[in-house]
Amino acid sequence: MNIPSERKSRDTAERAPFQVSFEFFPPKTDVMEERFWESVHKLAPLRPRFVSVTYGAGGSTRERTLRMVKQVKAETGVDAAAHLTCVGATKAEVDDVVHAYKTAGIKRIVALRGDPPGGPGQPFVQHPGGYTNAAELVAGIRRIGDFDISVAAYPEKHPQSPTWDVEIDNLKRKLDAGATRAITQMFFDNRDYFELLERAAKAGITAPIVPGIQPIHSFKQISSFAAKCGASMPDWVAERFDGLEEDPETHALVASAVAAEQVLELVDEGITQFHFLTLNRSNLVLALARLLGVRPD
Ligand code: FAD
C-alpha cells in the first residue's frame, strides 16, 4: 500500500498558521440580514485576514456593500474588503465609491471588471467614460489611495479569454497595475488550480494566487452558479450528490466530505492561504477552518 507517511495536512506541529478570508454577499431582506450577521459573528472570532463583501451585478448593491463592510469592521474589528466593479458607471462614479471607502476607513478592495447586465455569457461593453477592465480599475484605485487590492484569477480561464496567453497576460497586467494578490474563481478539480499556478509562475507572476473555495451547501444551487461563471462541475462530484435532493442530512455530510477533500489536498501540496465563499452561511466553513487548525480566539 502506498500511503504517504508525511502529509502537510496532518503535520500540525511544524506547519505555519494558515491564512483565511471569508466572502459574503450583501443581504437584501431583513431575514437575510439576520443570517448574514449570525454567520459573520460565528466566523469573525477565527480572526480571518479579511472578510469581503461582494458588489451586486452592475453595481446594484453599491450602498449596501459599503454599509456592510463598514459595519463588519466596526462590529467585529476584522478588516473588511469591499468588492468593486466598473460595470454601468463612469470612471468618476466608480472613483466616488473608492473615495467613500477611503473616508470610511476601508483599506481593502477586490477590484473587478464585473459582468454585463445580461450575465456572464454576454459580451462586455465599456460604459461611456467608464473603466475598460479590471487592470484599468486597479490603476484608478491606486491613484486614489494606498489600498490593499485583490483581483480575480480563473483556474479554468475566463470564458472571454481566447487563449491561456491572453488570460495570463491579463492577470499579470492587473497585478502589475498594483494588486497585491489574486483570488480565484470557484473550482472543483484542484488540478486546474495547480496548472494555473504553474502558468502564472512561468510568466513571472510572484503574487499569491489564493484559491477561492466554494463549499457545496446545495448541489443544485452551486452547480447552477458554477455553470453561469464558467466553472465546471466534474462528473465525479455530481455523482456524489446524485439522488440526494430529498435527503438534506446526507447531502450536508457529502458536502462537508467533498470540501474537506479539496482543502486538505491543497494543504498537502503546500497551499497556506484560502478564501472561502460562504454564501452567508457559516457551518461548512467553520468545519473547514477547524481542519486547518484555525480556531476561534
Ligand atoms: P478582467 O480581468 O478585466 O478580464 C475579463 C476578461 O476580459 C478576460 O477574459 C480578459 O482576458 C479580457 N480582457 C481584459 N482586458 C482586455 C483587453 N484590454 N483586451 C482584450 N481582452 C481583455 N462580479 C461582480 O459583479 N461582483 C463581485 O463582487 C464579484 N466578485 C468576484 C470575486 C472573485 C474572486 C472572482 C473570481 C470574480 C468575481 N466577480 C464579481 C465576477 C467578475 O466580475 C467576472 O468574472 C467578470 O466577467 C470578469 O471580471 P475580471 O475582474 O476578472 O475582469
Side-chain angles (χ1 to χ4, degrees):
M1 215 189 268
N2 188 19
I3 297 177
S5 54
E6 282 182 25
R7 291 191 199 178
K8 292 197 171 73
S9 57
R10 296 182 182 177
D11 188 8
T12 50
E14 297 295 318
R15 73 186 179 199
F18 291 100
Q19 288 186 317
V20 297
S21 49
F22 303 129
E23 181 174 310
F24 288 81
F25 66 88
K28 275 196 192 130
T29 62
D30 290 349
V31 174
M32 285 165 89
E33 184 150 349
E34 221 169 278
R35 186 200 274 173
F36 173 95
W37 284 114
E38 196 185 305
S39 301
V40 167
H41 286 302
K42 280 198 180 141
L43 292 173
L46 301 179
R47 294 284 127 209
R49 184 141 60 149
F50 60 86
V51 159
S52 80
V53 181
T54 59
Y55 201 70
S60 53
T61 64
R62 186 178 160 142
E63 280 74 29
R64 266 184 289 141
T65 299
L66 175 60
R67 179 163 68 85
M68 294 338 261
V69 284
K70 275 199 316 202
Q71 280 186 24
V72 164
K73 196 165 176 174
E75 286 197 20
T76 66
V78 170
D79 235 1
H83 292 222
L84 177 63
T85 73
C86 21
V87 177
T90 63
K91 285 185 189 175
E93 285 164 342
V94 173
D95 290 356
D96 281 350
V97 180
V98 179
H99 281 292
Y101 290 149
K102 192 177 174 186
T103 309
I106 301 301
K107 297 196 176 74
R108 294 176 183 266
I109 293 181
V110 183
L112 307 139
R113 184 198 69 179
D115 287 314
Q122 300 301 310
F124 179 79
V125 180
Q126 180 190 2
H127 187 80
Y131 287 109
T132 322
N133 53 35
E136 255 199 23
L137 175 63
V138 171
I141 296 169
R142 270 268 160 271
R143 281 193 288 274
I144 295 173
D146 184 23
F147 289 94
D148 171 278
I149 304 173
S150 303
V151 291
Y154 299 85
E156 296 176 74
K157 195 158 74 54
H158 187 278
Q160 282 155 10
S161 288
T163 63
W164 270 109
D165 283 349
V166 170
E167 176 72 22
I168 298 294
D169 277 357
N170 183 54
L171 177 59
K172 193 161 188 312
R173 251 197 320 275
K174 294 193 277 192
L175 292 162
D176 290 347
T180 313
R181 76 184 63 72
I183 301 173
T184 76
Q185 182 60 275
M186 66 176 86
F187 59 93
F188 301 99
D189 188 331
N190 287 342
R191 284 174 303 184
D192 293 327
Y193 171 71
F194 290 122
E195 280 170 22
L196 170 68
L197 294 189
E198 271 176 35
R199 289 187 164 102
K202 270 194 198 139
I205 291 174
T206 53
I209 300 178
V210 181
I213 304 294
Q214 176 64 75
I216 305 177
H217 308 274
S218 151
F219 180 76
K220 196 172 161 212
Q221 185 191 34
I222 301 301
S223 49
S224 143
F225 281 175
K228 278 192 198 128
C229 64
S232 48
M233 183 61 79
D235 289 345
W236 52 268
V237 175
E239 201 177 295
R240 289 174 180 183
F241 287 96
D242 185 35
L244 292 180
E245 297 80 7
E246 307 295 328
D247 183 354
E249 236 172 79
T250 312
H251 187 294
L253 290 169
V254 171
S256 148
V258 167
E261 182 183 75
Q262 178 173 27
V263 168
L264 295 179
E265 195 174 279
L266 293 170
V267 171
D268 284 336
E269 294 302 320
I271 303 306
T272 58
Q273 299 182 29
F274 294 88
H275 181 76
F276 291 105
L277 311 170
T278 70
L279 286 181
N280 298 0
R281 294 159 189 264
S282 59
N283 54 352
L284 278 173
V285 176
L286 272 172
L288 293 169
R290 179 161 270 267
L291 296 184
L292 298 176
V294 176
R295 304 278 180 91
D297 271 353

